[in-house]
Amino acid sequence: MKSTQTIAAIVIATTAMLSGCASNAPQPYNNGAYDNAASSSAGYGTIESIQVTRNEGHTNGAGAVVGGIVGALVGNQVGSGSGRTAATVAGAVGGAVVGNKVEANRNQGNGQEMYQINVRLQNGETRSVVQDSVYDLRVGNRVRLVDGRVYRY
């Protein structure tokens, strides 16, 4: 009975540790190079370049949690005594890693094309904005930056 409680505690601790690294925050449209404080006011400039990028598959930790639980349950079926405990821990960790990778691969298929637009502002600064579409934007266009988006004017 004591080994069952130990295994349960290890599984819960491992799951909590691995899921604590997950983030449910949505990915921003910009890559951080364009400061949100500066985005509240309009900036004017010229497009220097536009590159197509692919939105990577992201995880929210659910795959790691499920994988850790399944791995711990499978590991618990191996050996006896301290060997069983070690197998349970190894199964939980391995399952969490595999579950996280499976979730990332699954989400990667949903990745969409994004556009990184590099703009030279009138004051000489360069801003890089990532957004989901470019509409009628072309290199050399005069543009306005408002709230992290690029608009032609």
Side-chain angles (χ1 to χ4, degrees):
M1 187 67 168
K2 185 173 180 146
S3 67
T4 304
Q5 292 174 343
T6 303
I7 291 169
I10 290 171
V11 169
I12 291 170
T14 303
T15 303
M17 180 180 70
L18 292 173
S19 64
C21 298
S23 172
N24 288 333
Q27 295 299 317
Y29 278 112
N30 61 36
N31 63 359
Y34 185 55
D35 185 42
N36 286 337
S39 69
S40 61
S41 62
Y44 296 90
T46 305
I47 295 178
E48 289 189 329
S49 65
I50 300 174
Q51 289 96 22
V52 179
T53 61
R54 191 143 199 62
N55 196 9
E56 297 178 10
H58 297 284
T59 63
N60 63 8
V65 171
V66 172
I69 292 170
V70 170
L73 291 174
V74 171
N76 190 34
Q77 303 302 313
V78 177
S80 63
S82 62
R84 176 177 281 180
T85 303
T88 302
V89 171
V93 172
V97 170
V98 170
N100 194 45
K101 186 64 175 169
V102 167
E103 182 183 11
N105 288 343
R106 184 172 178 210
N107 289 342
Q108 186 145 4
N110 298 335
Q112 69 182 84
E113 287 186 349
M114 302 293 280
Y115 300 89
Q116 179 179 347
I117 304 167
N118 297 313
V119 178
R120 171 75 59 186
L121 297 177
Q122 288 177 336
N123 65 5
E125 291 181 40
T126 301
R127 300 289 171 127
S128 181
V129 178
V130 177
Q131 59 188 48
D132 57 350
S133 63
V134 290
Y135 298 112
D136 61 345
L137 299 175
R138 305 284 180 263
V139 173
N141 285 148
R142 302 259 313 138
V143 293
R144 180 177 59 159
L145 274 68
V146 178
D147 294 329
R149 300 239 355 139
V150 177
Y151 301 96
R152 189 173 175 184
Y153 79 96

